Amino acid sequence: MDLVLLGQRLRHQRRAKGLTLDDLSALVGRAPSQLSLIENGKREPKLSLLQAMASALDVPLQELLRAEPPSRRAALEIELAHFQESSVYAGLGLPSVRLGRRLPGDALESLIGLHRELSRVLAEQSATPEVARRANASLRAEMRSRDNYFSAVEEAAAGVLQSVRHSTGPLSQRGILDIAAQIGFSLHYVPDLPSSTRSVTDLRNRRIYLPQVASGKGHDPRAVVLQTLGHFVLGHNDPKDYGDFLRQRVEANYFAAALLMPEKFAVPFLAAAKADRALAIDDFRDAFGVSYETAAHRFTNLATHHFGIPVHFTRVHESGVVYKAYENDNVRFPTDVTGAIEGQPICRRWASRTVFQSEDPYSSFYQFTDTVAGTYWCTVHVESTRSGEFSVTVGTPYEHARWFRGGDTSRRTVSRCPDPSCCRRPPSSLVDTWAGHAWPSARVHSHLLAALPPGTFPGVDAQDVYEFLQRRA
Ligand SMILES: [Zn+2]
């Protein structure tokens, strides 16, 4: 229970009835000082006393316990009280400002504004790479515990679809305009959107500005709109900290995917494919007209919850570094000390890397991989972007491969990672030839949250360097 809020509601009701603290004290048989502590949020009243006060004030008990501040002024006082109680404020060694009628409104507004700005600046500063990595790791743990299925977001998306009477198949641009209109926003495609933004929303005029991009370039423009609308539908406020920011982004992206590939249509589609033992991410993508990555990620939302198929998902750069990863099938990803996976090199024997050696990496690619955690089957797709090529992988334990097209592949590799002799160390013949005679300059993944992985050359794959030199020799 928020004691400050309760105190404000009590005081509001007492004053509305024209009672002084002494009057109320006489009615409930408690000292005025005790009631004052309660009104100031400094003491928690027993339920019996609360009931006595409610009947003395002639209001239902629920009225005192409501979650809304009784007035805007009260809301500001509650916010200030909470700021002043925080450990951050205590650490400043400043006096607490006394709340009450003697505090002028403009002083109150100004203090609140300064506190909010201080909180924002501190939150920004605290988002160090390590904090960011920990936030990522804890978010991943939460996604894993829910099998990456967010029922509240599914329900919100289903509610929106129903409100625009979308009844079948992929969501069109028209449907997206309807959704925006339903939520009370208009969409405006402009040529001069700041390049650091996906979209900008004018809250006063309920206008969403989006970039004028030709379809097929960069992000799916429908997804960008839906992600933005997702923040409003899901009731997101200014993120408290970096973890909150990440969670909101995950939820908004989930919301967009749940509209582009609605559960109501996606589940029957996948169920039919599973019955034919022909689950395929490409088919899922084609049926809903989304990107491969969106389809692969959406599959992880539904696979375990609806079909009992545990899965893993990765997006891996051609250099071997992980950009995104999720698992609930116990596959053992490489991690750093904070438990973060982003920025770590994936085993060279895993499908997300062997695909780059394939004769035709753009055609369907399937592989069984024996790992220290068991045998996994994976389906991989390679996409080219401005930052290079990426493999997008969906994998599942051996016994579930039979539900997928390509589940009978004869391609198989053996991975012994994290044993460093698996692939972390270059072959000794190459080391003998090149150690001490090579000097690569690392390409820094500055946008990655992770620190550079340790190695002979930080951030560089020694084997690739040696092999390159070997070819030129
Ligand atoms: Zn390995």
Side-chain angles (χ1 to χ4, degrees):
M1 183 163 33
D2 183 337
L3 295 183
V4 179
L5 174 60
L6 175 66
Q8 287 280 354
R9 297 202 65 87
L10 271 169
R11 179 176 289 145
H12 180 79
Q13 290 295 340
R14 176 175 60 75
R15 286 185 180 153
K17 299 278 153 20
L19 299 176
T20 64
L21 268 178
D22 287 334
D23 298 336
L24 185 61
S25 138
L27 286 169
V28 299
R30 299 295 165 101
S33 58
Q34 198 186 341
L35 299 185
S36 169
L37 285 172
I38 292 168
E39 285 193 358
N40 287 318
K42 306 272 189 224
R43 178 172 295 178
E44 184 169 358
K46 289 226 171 74
L47 188 60
S48 54
L49 175 55
L50 260 185
Q51 276 160 342
M53 288 196 281
S55 64
L57 295 168
D58 195 23
V59 291
L61 182 59
Q62 282 72 17
E63 182 59 27
L64 295 179
L65 295 175
R66 272 175 50 197
E68 301 82 46
S71 65
R72 176 174 150 72
R73 165 88 193 192
L76 291 174
E77 289 198 10
I78 291 165
E79 193 175 350
L80 183 59
H82 287 309
F83 277 131
Q84 294 192 152
E85 283 164 4
S86 72
S87 55
V88 169
Y89 190 71
L92 297 175
L94 294 170
S96 280
V97 173
R98 266 194 70 141
L99 301 173
R101 275 186 285 204
R102 277 184 304 166
L103 179 62
D106 52 356
L108 180 58
E109 298 265 2
S110 170
L111 283 170
I112 292 283
L114 289 169
H115 275 289
R116 283 179 185 164
E117 181 61 12
L118 178 66
S119 301
R120 192 189 67 76
V121 169
L122 288 174
E124 202 171 80
Q125 281 176 1
S126 72
T128 60
E130 191 186 317
V131 168
R133 288 203 302 273
R134 285 189 196 281
N136 252 313
S138 87
L139 183 59
R140 181 166 21 249
E142 191 192 326
M143 286 159 72
R144 188 184 200 286
S145 74
R146 302 172 170 212
D147 290 333
N148 207 20
Y149 180 83
F150 288 54
S151 52
V153 182
E154 296 284 358
E155 277 165 31
V160 165
L161 282 179
Q162 190 148 29
S163 72
V164 297
R165 300 204 164 81
H166 179 72
S167 55
T168 182
L171 191 57
S172 64
Q173 182 63 27
R174 179 73 245 165
I176 286 167
L177 286 171
D178 288 347
I179 289 172
Q182 179 77 25
I183 303 169
F185 285 94
S186 57
L187 307 181
H188 304 267
Y189 293 87
V190 295
D192 55 344
L193 197 74
S195 57
S196 60
T197 58
R198 293 200 295 201
S199 67
V200 173
T201 302
D202 173 349
L203 288 173
R204 185 180 292 123
N205 299 303
R206 312 275 289 179
R207 292 158 75 101
I208 298 175
Y209 294 101
L210 296 149
Q212 282 175 345
V213 275
S215 59
K217 264 192 186 173
H219 292 286
D220 182 343
R222 296 176 306 162
V224 176
V225 182
L226 293 172
Q227 283 155 4
T228 304
L229 293 173
H231 287 299
F232 297 105
V233 173
L234 299 171
H236 289 164
N237 295 311
D238 284 345
K240 297 192 298 291
D241 53 28
Y242 190 75
D244 212 21
F245 165 79
L246 283 182
R247 187 178 320 278
Q248 290 186 359
R249 200 175 58 170
V250 163
E251 286 182 2
N253 291 352
Y254 192 120
F255 175 82
L259 282 178
L260 291 172
M261 312 180 85
E263 187 175 29
K264 197 169 136 190
F265 311 122
V267 170
F269 177 86
L270 293 173
K274 181 174 179 247
D276 289 346
R277 303 197 166 213
L279 280 173
I281 306 299
D282 338 38
D283 292 352
F284 194 34
R285 167 197 64 191
D286 295 342
F288 290 89
V290 295
S291 73
Y292 188 90
E293 188 179 345
T294 299
H297 201 266
R298 183 66 175 141
F299 182 73
T300 71
N301 299 150
L302 306 172
T304 314
H305 183 82
H306 287 285
F307 304 103
I309 302 175
V311 285
H312 67 265
F313 166 92
T314 58
R315 177 174 166 83
V316 172
H317 187 245
E318 56 182 311
S319 65
V321 169
V322 182
Y323 273 56
K324 289 182 195 165
Y326 162 77
E327 63 83 18
N328 69 348
D329 62 0
N330 294 317
V331 77
R332 175 112 69 103
F333 287 132
T335 60
D336 70 5
V337 288
T338 65
I341 300 168
E342 291 81 7
Q344 297 297 304
I346 279 263
C347 177
R348 287 172 170 269
R349 316 278 178 249
W350 284 24
S352 47
R353 290 196 69 184
T354 57
V355 68
F356 291 113
Q357 264 75 59
S358 140
E359 309 234 305
D360 178 11
Y362 295 99
S363 70
S364 302
F365 185 92
Y366 314 109
Q367 175 179 310
F368 282 103
T369 312
D370 297 328
T371 78
V372 291
T375 300
Y376 291 86
W377 174 87
C378 294
T379 174
V380 194
H381 174 84
V382 172
E383 57 185 30
S384 285
T385 74
R386 266 174 294 181
S387 348
E389 295 198 321
F390 287 86
S391 64
V392 177
T393 303
V394 172
T396 189
Y398 179 86
E399 61 270 29
H400 296 282
R402 64 183 192 274
W403 306 118
F404 291 82
R405 188 191 303 147
D408 55 352
T409 183
S410 56
R411 172 181 261 280
R412 190 157 192 153
T413 65
V414 177
S415 158
R416 284 175 290 107
C417 272
D419 181 340
S421 70
C422 170
C423 64
R424 295 294 176 102
R425 276 196 215 122
S428 54
S429 60
L430 285 175
V431 174
D432 291 347
T433 310
W434 289 105
H437 302 287
W439 176 247
S441 172
R443 190 165 135 187
V444 179
H445 298 273
S446 55
H447 56 293
L448 270 187
L449 301 170
L452 295 172
T456 316
F457 314 109
V460 169
D461 189 313
Q463 185 173 336
D464 284 348
V465 172
Y466 292 158
E467 281 176 354
F468 167 81
L469 290 169
Q470 188 74 22
R471 284 195 299 277
R472 298 292 137 109

